[in-house]
Amino acid sequence: MSVWLPGSRLSQIVMQHPGCLPVLQRFGIRLGVGDMTVAEACGSLGIDARFFLAVLNTYLNDDFHPSDALWEESTVPLTEYLEKTDTWYEQVQLPNIRRHFAPLVASGRDTGNLSLLGRFFEGLKSELTGRIESDRRLLFPALRGEGAGLGEEEAARLLDVDFAIEEKVSDLESFFVIHLTGDYDANLCMAVVSAIFALGRDLRQNNRIRQRILRPLTRKTLGSCR
Amino acid sequence: MQIGLAGLTPLDTLAFKWICRRLGWDDPVCLTAPDGSVTTQSDCDILIASAAEIALSPDLYMGRRGHIIVFDERGGREPVSQRVLTRDMEEDEIMSRLDAAARTLHGSADSPDTRREALSARETEVLKEIASGKTNKEIADSLCISVNTVITHRKNLTSKLGIRSASGLSLYALMHGLLDAPL
């Protein structure tokens, strides 16, 4: 497991893990990073480098577990980061899949297979959109002390939805890779599958942050409110 | 995967029941009647018959050669074929040979839909029940099996199909004509 440090060069991180680009974007770090280190980039943008590295390392490494103490001081930046993630799903990734899915379904000539997959995607989209709505309306305000009426157990139930969504994205990947039948436009299919895999990868990596960091923080914050 | 047992002692039957559970298969069906007679006319995928039983009535087993595994109850010697099990064999070795036999069986199936073909009759039943929206408890009650067995079948479905969610399994069932109504 490689752990990135304040002295690590951003260019090296991105070249080794291009999948981390959405994380950099959510922190407002733009490409053209030159020789900048993490500490220098964070310093110039007013970001806490320890917080940035904790998010980045959790996102990239399945074995990385950041210290709890850091998160207790970082409720606001954490919820802001996760809000940006939700916005990314809502405004970029889901519309991107949908944009290619409709013409793909129309291109299917001899099977109802694709239209059923299209409906499955719409169900997944509704579930993810519902979770985003719950984050915005209930969970994040409660964590920041702005909302009222959300208990620890209800918050835990909201976070359980992450698993169901992850399962469905994984199923959609399997349907395309293993079970797709019939005649379809290969280029459109590639576009849809690539977009689904990008969403699935980002969801799984972000769910680590939600389950390992947000969930304990929720338990501590909302549990102590009772 | 449904296993049938013929001519085995109650203790050996119990041992195979345990092994089938570890493999995530249905409990084996005992084809030996209390009076000692055996019926091979069943829908078992694989029939495990004792060497003594086969020697006694070889004609009964001739038509099912590819599906037969011989259980040599004497042990103490190296089995001559991968399709022979002995009583003194390690449990893992028995599991590995049964698994290989099951794979060979399915690999030889002449069907364009090898994925669905790979599901056992019981797994297909569980899949239909899941697709109809039942909980694990309701499925267990409906099929007269334990909740743990339902969970094992669900794990097998996920492993074979790459599909984990109930709605994904329902979609698979619909795509393969196992459901009448749309989702």
Side-chain angles (χ1 to χ4, degrees):
Chain A
M1 177 179 79
S2 59
V3 174
W4 299 104
L5 302 167
S8 302
R9 297 207 178 281
L10 279 174
S11 56
Q12 192 189 355
I13 299 171
V14 175
M15 294 301 271
Q16 278 191 33
H17 302 283
C20 76
L21 279 171
V23 178
L24 268 57
Q25 190 186 23
R26 286 163 203 155
F27 278 99
I29 298 173
R30 298 176 68 86
L31 289 179
V33 291
D35 280 338
M36 260 196 301
T37 63
V38 167
E40 288 165 352
C42 288
S44 69
L45 290 166
I47 302 164
D48 180 346
R50 288 182 315 149
F51 174 72
F52 171 80
L53 284 168
V55 169
L56 183 74
N57 283 318
T58 307
Y59 186 89
L60 292 178
N61 297 313
D62 198 16
D63 299 325
F64 185 82
H65 291 266
S67 91
D68 289 348
L70 173 67
W71 301 109
E72 287 165 22
E73 306 162 11
S74 311
T75 304
V76 172
L78 177 65
T79 52
E80 282 174 358
Y81 170 83
L82 291 172
E83 272 173 344
K84 284 181 186 162
T85 308
D86 284 345
T87 303
W88 171 255
Y89 296 149
E90 193 179 48
Q91 293 184 2
V92 178
Q93 292 194 292
L94 289 172
N96 187 34
I97 296 172
R98 202 176 198 191
R99 188 161 52 91
H100 298 298
F101 222 130
L104 174 65
V105 171
S107 79
R109 282 178 286 273
D110 61 354
T111 174
N113 204 325
L114 280 167
S115 60
L116 288 173
L117 289 181
R119 281 166 54 188
F120 188 77
F121 166 69
E122 288 300 325
L124 163 69
K125 180 174 169 289
S126 298
E127 208 162 335
L128 182 52
T129 309
R131 190 204 79 181
I132 291 169
E133 181 62 21
S134 299
D135 281 353
R136 280 190 191 134
R137 203 165 42 82
L138 299 167
L139 189 58
F140 296 160
L143 282 172
R144 292 193 289 246
E146 298 162 359
L150 186 71
E152 183 190 350
E153 284 178 14
E154 196 182 347
R157 273 198 296 277
L158 292 178
L159 284 165
D160 284 344
V161 175
D162 292 352
F163 299 117
I165 292 169
E166 208 177 299
E167 266 189 357
K168 283 187 182 145
V169 177
S170 163
D171 287 351
L172 197 53
E173 292 168 353
S174 291
F175 273 117
F176 272 101
V177 174
I178 303 171
H179 304 292
L180 190 62
T181 57
D183 192 16
Y184 53 84
D185 184 307
N187 290 329
L188 284 170
C189 191
M190 186 69 78
V192 170
V193 172
S194 302
I196 291 169
F197 270 94
L199 173 67
R201 189 172 53 242
D202 199 58
L203 271 170
R204 280 186 282 275
Q205 288 174 297
N206 255 303
N207 278 353
R208 274 186 226 148
I209 294 169
R210 293 175 67 90
Q211 296 302 325
R212 291 180 189 176
I213 300 163
L214 186 63
R215 188 183 281 272
L217 183 67
T218 300
R219 204 178 296 131
K220 192 169 173 60
T221 308
L222 301 181
S224 62
C225 289
R226 285 183 304 180
Chain B
M1 181 61 57
Q2 183 69 70
I3 301 289
L5 302 176
L8 268 61
T9 65
L11 207 58
D12 291 331
T13 302
L14 203 61
F16 275 107
K17 189 174 176 181
W18 167 247
I19 284 169
C20 285
R21 284 187 176 179
R22 281 196 63 196
L23 282 164
W25 296 350
D26 291 343
D27 283 350
V29 177
C30 187
L31 304 176
T32 311
D35 65 356
S37 64
V38 170
T39 172
T40 58
Q41 301 303 310
S42 74
D43 58 357
C44 295
D45 298 303
I46 293 176
L47 181 58
I48 302 174
S50 71
E53 168 59 31
I54 294 175
L56 202 64
S57 350
D59 291 346
L60 271 178
Y61 301 96
M62 286 300 285
R64 300 180 53 119
R65 194 173 292 167
H67 302 254
I68 298 284
I69 289 182
V70 181
F71 181 66
D72 186 344
E73 58 271 68
R74 286 167 298 182
R77 57 183 176 169
E78 198 63 23
V80 293
S81 150
Q82 280 292 312
R83 299 185 76 84
V84 173
L85 307 172
T86 68
R87 187 176 281 155
D88 54 356
M89 209 175 248
E90 291 289 332
E91 190 177 307
D92 283 347
E93 172 68 3
I94 292 178
M95 286 174 61
S96 153
R97 287 185 181 215
L98 283 176
D99 195 42
R103 283 172 198 277
T104 306
L105 203 62
H106 288 309
S108 65
D110 183 19
S111 162
D113 187 356
T114 52
R115 280 279 159 184
R116 204 179 117 202
E117 198 64 38
L119 299 183
S120 70
R122 197 53 131 180
E123 284 161 358
T124 305
E125 278 183 284
V126 171
L127 175 60
K128 285 181 186 175
E129 298 282 344
I130 294 168
S132 70
K134 288 184 180 165
T135 63
N136 286 349
K137 173 76 173 66
E138 288 167 339
I139 296 169
D141 290 344
S142 166
L143 299 179
C144 299
I145 53 178
S146 72
V147 172
N148 280 341
T149 307
V150 175
I151 292 168
T152 302
H153 286 310
R154 288 188 81 134
K155 282 182 187 164
N156 289 345
L157 287 169
T158 294
S159 162
K160 288 179 179 178
L161 305 176
I163 302 169
R164 293 192 286 168
S165 69
S167 54
L169 289 168
S170 302
L171 176 59
Y172 179 88
L174 187 62
M175 280 176 171
H176 291 83
L178 301 172
L179 277 186
D180 297 328
L183 289 172

